[in-house]
Amino acid sequence: MLKFSYSSYELSPKFSLNSVTKEIPRPGALLKIEWPDGLCGYADLFPWPELGDDILEKHLEGLKKGRISRLLEQSIWLARKDAQLRLEKKSGLSEVRKIKNHYTVADYTKISDIMVAEIKNQGFTTLKIKVGRDPMDEARWIERTIKKSPYLNFRLDFIGNRDFSVFERLMTSLSLSLKPHIEFAEDPVPYDLEAWREASKLCPLAVDFEFDNVKWDVIPLPFRTVILKPARQDVAKVLDLVNKHNLKLAITSSMDHPVGVAHALMVASEIKKVWPGRVVECGCLTHLLYWPNDFSKELVTQGPCLVQMGGTGIGFDALLAKQTWNPIR
Ligand code: MG
């Protein structure tokens, strides 16, 4: 039997995080998992109820009754990796510098030209923008930003907005000469083969939350890139499909706790080692979207990369040891 304990936390966003969430503290829990073979590892549990997840309490309640949600399944898988490395006294983040990340812009209205210049000077080359609130204004902001910083590329995340015209209006408002700066649009509308084929005529596409709705026997698929969130998806299954269809892979955190950020980076390092050509820029540095806490202070970055962390497994050894752990019985 696995032994679970949890430690609750809240993350305070600096801005509204996307078109469907409000700027309020978000609850999550760190998990400590102990196996009968003596191994002990840590992972994060950070549901997104706005995007269809059960609330945190429901996952923990279920766990008491032996019900393992899909998020918990991933937490257990990640904690086991951490546990194995802790046993061997190895770090899972020794090659993390090789993972380059985009800069996530949750609310572009709060990002001034000076801030964009600063982000660029730090070494970021790609901005990922959460869009879908006001397509015309978003297009204007992107145009202006590209003109001021011509070496930046953009990833636009529509989070499966129900209205095709939102995507269409944004894309058709951008001048043709700036189109090559749009690396991809993510989940432009809910997945539907015809709608995505139409959308792909305006811009290359990437699939994230719509992954489960894809019919994989269709060739060619209407997207080129898959967003992989190890906190939410069966990694082996995604890798299998990505390799089979010759797609690119961007590994991202789930905009979760720094423990989740470290796990996403560890998985990204592992995959990049085996398939270096498959992994494009990742999106793991989402701790920058929240006000700092003790854990995020240990994530030292140099521009788009995390600097190698001390400790074993995913790190944070001393901080994890001093959390208050509530056993789940
Ligand atoms: Mg997304």
Side-chain angles (χ1 to χ4, degrees), residues 128 130 157 159 186-187 208-209 227 229:
K128 168 160 164 171
K130 304 279 176 177
D157 192 357
I159 331 177
E186 202 173 307
D187 292 346
D208 179 12
F209 274 92
I227 312 297
K229 293 185 164 73

